[in-house]
Amino acid sequence: MPRTNLSFIRRYLKITIAGSALAIGLLLAGPGSAALACPYGGLTPSRMTAEQAEVSVTCLVNKARHHNGARRLTSDPLLQSAAKSHSAAMDSDNFFSHDGDGTPLDRVRSTGYLAGASSWMVGEDLHWGVGRQATPKATVAHWLASPRHRSAMLVRGFRNIGVGVAMGSPLGGSGVNSAIYTADFGLRR
């Protein structure tokens, strides 16, 4: 075999092996980090809409659940209705509590989420922040750092989530660059 053909074969094999190793590495690594990022996660309330914050928190909660071995939650419009109305009530009525306008169970039940269920489970997490402490990432990080919030967010039995965000403050006033977050978690059978 002439030397040129042999060097061509060696070069071809090196390129093929290197290309195969890169392809296997990319396959094992999964989607790029940009594909795994949750949209709007680092934005402050003045730079996003309530709907963008809700999408981001849902994504971040699901990432945290995945990281902790719990299944992904699906968005439920009835739970979202309960969460949105509670965040709005805390903003307009100037309170920050699970019980200011009824209990979490009262709010979820009033949406019809539990109608016809033979068994059910509900949970709720709240957060309020200003500026960098009011980003979706800061909100979920706060919940993960708090044993009670973390426990509610990571319950393996939950199947649904509804997130409601009010751009405002439970302290009254304009609430510039502030956000109030409610996440309602549920299971119904």
Side-chain angles (χ1 to χ4, degrees):
M1 184 181 284
R3 188 171 169 91
T4 55
N5 285 343
L6 186 55
S7 68
F8 171 76
I9 292 171
R10 284 186 188 138
R11 211 173 354 184
Y12 175 76
L13 287 174
K14 284 181 186 176
I15 291 170
T16 302
I17 290 169
S20 297
L22 177 62
I24 290 169
L26 289 173
L27 180 64
L28 293 176
S33 61
L36 296 176
C38 293
Y40 322 112
L43 297 182
T44 59
S46 63
R47 298 185 60 218
M48 68 180 160
T49 66
E51 291 76 19
Q52 289 170 328
E54 291 160 3
V55 165
S56 188
V57 167
T58 300
C59 176
L60 291 162
V61 165
N62 276 325
K63 282 180 75 169
R65 287 178 62 84
H66 175 76
H67 180 73
N68 286 279
R71 78 169 36 182
R72 181 183 179 283
L73 301 174
T74 57
S75 292
D76 184 274
L78 298 175
L79 288 178
Q80 186 170 10
S81 175
K84 283 174 95 63
S85 69
H86 188 55
S87 288
M90 288 189 286
D91 181 37
S92 65
D93 297 341
N94 302 324
F95 71 93
F96 186 75
S97 168
H98 291 282
D99 298 324
D101 60 341
T103 68
L105 178 58
D106 293 335
R107 288 188 297 277
V108 169
R109 183 175 278 138
S110 74
T111 67
Y113 178 78
L114 301 177
S118 60
S119 64
W120 50 266
M121 183 171 46
V122 297
E124 182 174 83
D125 280 348
L126 303 177
H127 179 72
W128 165 62
V130 178
R132 301 295 312 154
Q133 293 304 309
T135 67
K137 282 184 182 178
T139 298
V140 175
H142 168 81
W143 290 339
L144 287 169
S146 161
R148 292 182 98 179
H149 291 97
R150 178 184 181 89
S151 176
M153 184 172 53
L154 299 178
V155 168
R156 292 183 188 272
F158 287 141
R159 298 293 181 261
N160 306 115
I161 185 172
V163 177
V165 178
M167 297 303 186
S169 167
L171 300 179
S174 65
V176 175
N177 209 22
S178 298
I180 305 166
Y181 293 82
T182 302
D184 285 331
F185 307 99
L187 165 71
R188 63 178 171 210
R189 295 185 186 159

